[in-house]
């Protein structure tokens, strides 16, 4: 007697994936909670070169509230970055984790959503 794998497989593009795959889980999270994408541009001096690029998608807001949230997020980013040395690449993961958790809390407090969050740091 032999074993047979069972369960559901889904067609995604031209591939078969398990219904519990990470890609499907991420897409479900984005569809229910939205997405927040933050890009920080850091100069050679270790300063934030310009305002962070903030992209919020799939959140239930109007334009006025969306702008308020973006300003609040931007203020929080500058506050958190003050406590880190942006030249120190060893602290980068700690900074990203701190930003991710703090910025998710802003969205959660205002909208009761926990968006999929992506934070990128670009060094010039």
């Amino acid at each position: 007697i032999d074993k047979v794998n069972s369960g559901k497989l889904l067609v995604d593009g031209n591939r078969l994936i398990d219904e519990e795959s990470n890609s499907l889980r991420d897409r479900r999270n984005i569809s229910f909670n939205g997405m927040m994408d933050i890009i920080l541009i850091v100069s050679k001096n270790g300063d934030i070169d310009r305002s962070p690029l903030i992209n919020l998608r799939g959140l239930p807001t109007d334009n006025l509230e969306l702008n308020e949230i973006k300003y609040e997020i931007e203020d929080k980013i500058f506050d958190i970055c003050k406590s880190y040395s942006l030249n120190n690449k060893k602290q980068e993961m700690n900074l990203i984790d701190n930003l991710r958790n703090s910025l998710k809390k802003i969205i959660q407090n205002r909208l009761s959503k926990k968006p999929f969050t992506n934070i990128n740091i670009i060094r010039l």
Side-chain angles (χ1 to χ4, degrees):
I1 297 180
D2 202 3
K3 293 184 180 182
V4 175
N5 293 331
S6 65
K8 293 182 183 177
L9 291 177
L10 306 173
V11 177
D12 188 11
N14 62 357
R15 299 179 187 266
L16 289 175
I17 61 170
D18 183 24
E19 71 177 333
E20 300 299 322
S21 72
N22 288 335
S23 63
L24 197 57
R25 181 181 48 93
D26 287 344
R27 281 191 266 164
R28 279 189 192 123
N29 182 24
I30 291 169
S31 71
F32 290 119
N33 293 303
M35 181 180 136
M36 177 170 40
D37 192 35
I38 309 290
I39 299 173
L40 296 175
I41 300 173
V42 177
S43 69
K44 291 179 182 178
N45 302 339
D47 299 324
I48 295 178
D49 193 45
R50 57 185 73 134
S51 293
L53 302 171
I54 301 168
N55 186 12
L56 301 173
R57 296 279 185 222
L59 296 173
T61 62
D62 57 18
N63 286 338
L64 180 63
E65 188 177 22
L66 188 64
N67 287 334
E68 290 175 6
I69 291 171
K70 283 184 177 183
Y71 289 129
E72 187 176 348
I73 287 172
E74 189 174 315
D75 289 342
K76 189 67 169 178
I77 289 170
F78 284 120
D79 288 344
I80 291 172
C81 287
K82 286 179 187 175
S83 61
Y84 286 87
S85 170
L86 297 179
N87 277 338
N88 188 346
K89 291 185 181 180
K90 293 179 182 177
Q91 289 186 354
E92 191 170 298
M93 287 311 296
N94 292 333
L95 171 63
I96 289 172
D97 288 341
N98 191 347
L99 285 170
R100 181 179 292 117
N101 294 332
S102 298
L103 301 179
K104 269 185 167 181
K105 284 181 186 176
I106 291 173
I107 303 295
Q108 186 175 8
N109 290 337
R110 294 197 58 150
L111 304 173
S112 297
K113 296 286 185 180
K114 294 179 183 177
F116 180 86
T117 304
N118 183 37
I119 298 175
N120 295 305
I121 298 176
I122 299 173
R123 298 182 185 280
L124 299 178

